[in-house]
Amino acid sequence: MIDINSEKKIAVLIDAENAQFTVLDSVLKELSKHGHILAKKAYGDWSSEHLKNWKQPLNELAINPIQQFSYTQGKNSSDAAMIIDAMDLLYSNKFDAFAIISSDSDFTKLASRLKESEVYVFGVGEKKTPVAFRNACDDFMYTEILKDRYAIKDETTLNSAEKPKQPELRSKRNKLRQDTKLLNILRGAANEYQDEDGWSFLGHCGSLIKRQYPDFDSKNYGFNTLSQLVEAIELFDIDRRATGTGAVHVYIKDQRKSA
């Protein structure tokens, strides 16, 4: 059984033909939160003019470039090399997590195969990434979100964004309430774990949501945590309960059940 909270030994495989070098630093920073990155490899035809700007970030981030010539026009031959390397790394038994950096649906089968071997699979790609690949991963992250999250903001921007105005908060809340899919996801998870009084432990809800929707992330909606997202919607009652160890567990209850 995969322990999603354990410190993972991660292999990072980058499809340079379908990724952006400008997000590499942000991606590696985010993956480092989940464990230790032991291998970093990027695949592409480095003689191609298309990849000329990759040299500096590859050097700075200590990513190993793997050369794969494009023998046929229009065919991405680096895909095969990346898949073969992934299986070699899998059979080495040194890794319990893989990160596939690509927006290409061709890696759907690879992600599924890695999961069959009970390793955790991170997917990282643009929002245009086909849903089949996103759902084949245990956790899928959008590069647009990661890039914004780690962007360096100047002091003026930080100061101006310290406290959103009330009209802005109301507008954001109304937009969230109109997101039928989001509400169904949250209510479905809460309903699955509710006790006899209708309360659900948010930690369990979050784990279920991630299993059902690998690309779900509260940060996609502009919130650092799931509890902040749920609270902003204002359709759930919130109960914070202190534990004997000093921790605080958050419980939620659909307000329709309180009526």
Side-chain angles (χ1 to χ4, degrees):
M1 180 67 68
I2 297 172
D3 180 4
I4 62 173
N5 296 314
S6 64
E7 285 288 307
K8 299 174 177 62
K9 292 177 286 186
I10 306 171
V12 179
L13 306 179
I14 304 165
D15 175 16
E17 306 289 347
N18 284 284
Q20 298 173 315
F21 68 88
T22 55
V23 303
L24 294 179
D25 184 52
S26 299
V27 169
L28 294 178
K29 285 178 180 176
E30 185 67 19
L31 290 172
S32 295
K33 295 179 180 179
H34 299 273
H36 304 286
I37 299 175
L38 303 185
K40 294 176 287 187
K41 299 186 178 186
Y43 299 79
D45 182 358
W46 304 109
S47 64
S48 168
E49 185 72 12
H50 176 65
L51 300 180
K52 65 179 182 180
N53 294 321
W54 279 71
K55 181 178 180 180
Q56 182 174 342
L58 290 180
N59 287 336
E60 291 178 352
L61 297 171
I63 298 172
N64 183 20
I66 307 298
Q67 171 65 30
Q68 183 61 46
F69 290 107
S70 298
Y71 298 109
T72 305
Q73 185 70 26
K75 296 292 184 179
N76 189 355
S77 56
S78 61
D79 286 7
M82 185 166 155
I83 292 170
I84 291 171
D85 271 9
M87 299 313 296
D88 287 343
L89 293 172
L90 172 66
Y91 294 139
S92 73
N93 294 318
K94 295 179 180 178
F95 304 92
D96 48 28
F98 282 74
I100 303 172
I101 318 302
S102 179
S103 299
D104 192 343
S105 62
D106 288 349
F107 294 107
T108 301
K109 180 63 177 177
L110 174 60
S112 299
R113 175 64 183 83
L114 292 171
K115 286 180 66 174
E116 289 173 7
S117 296
E118 299 186 23
V119 298
Y120 199 84
V121 180
F122 296 98
V124 185
E126 297 177 83
K127 291 182 178 179
K128 68 180 182 180
T129 303
V131 66
F133 178 37
R134 301 202 308 262
N135 286 338
C137 302
D138 290 296
D139 188 352
F140 192 89
M141 309 173 191
Y142 293 117
T143 54
E144 295 91 339
I145 301 297
L146 293 178
K147 192 173 181 180
D148 290 341
R149 188 183 309 171
Y150 290 97
I152 300 175
K153 298 180 176 65
D154 59 37
E155 188 174 350
T156 302
T157 303
L158 287 172
N159 290 337
S160 64
E162 281 179 359
K163 281 192 176 182
K165 297 179 181 179
Q166 284 300 321
E168 294 174 354
L169 293 175
R170 286 196 296 269
S171 175
K172 196 167 191 178
R173 180 194 63 201
N174 292 336
K175 185 177 181 181
L176 292 171
R177 287 184 172 186
Q178 293 169 8
D179 191 332
T180 304
K181 180 180 179 181
L182 171 62
L183 296 183
N184 287 338
I185 289 173
L186 296 175
R187 283 171 169 159
N191 185 65
E192 194 68 30
Y193 289 106
Q194 65 181 345
D195 60 20
E196 58 184 13
D197 295 319
W199 290 99
S200 308
F201 177 42
L202 188 59
H204 291 160
C205 295
S207 296
L208 176 62
I209 291 171
K210 200 63 180 175
R211 291 195 299 271
Q212 294 177 331
Y213 304 93
D215 59 347
F216 182 91
D217 191 333
S218 59
K219 295 181 178 64
N220 295 344
Y221 300 93
F223 298 90
N224 289 326
T225 64
L226 181 58
S227 62
Q228 290 176 353
L229 171 60
V230 172
E231 192 169 9
I233 294 175
E234 297 185 3
L235 292 176
F236 294 85
D237 293 329
I238 310 291
D239 185 16
R240 292 177 170 84
R241 307 176 186 177
T243 67
T245 60
V248 176
H249 286 176
V250 178
Y251 286 78
I252 64 172
K253 182 178 181 179
D254 190 340
Q255 290 180 352
R256 297 179 303 178
K257 299 181 183 299
S258 301

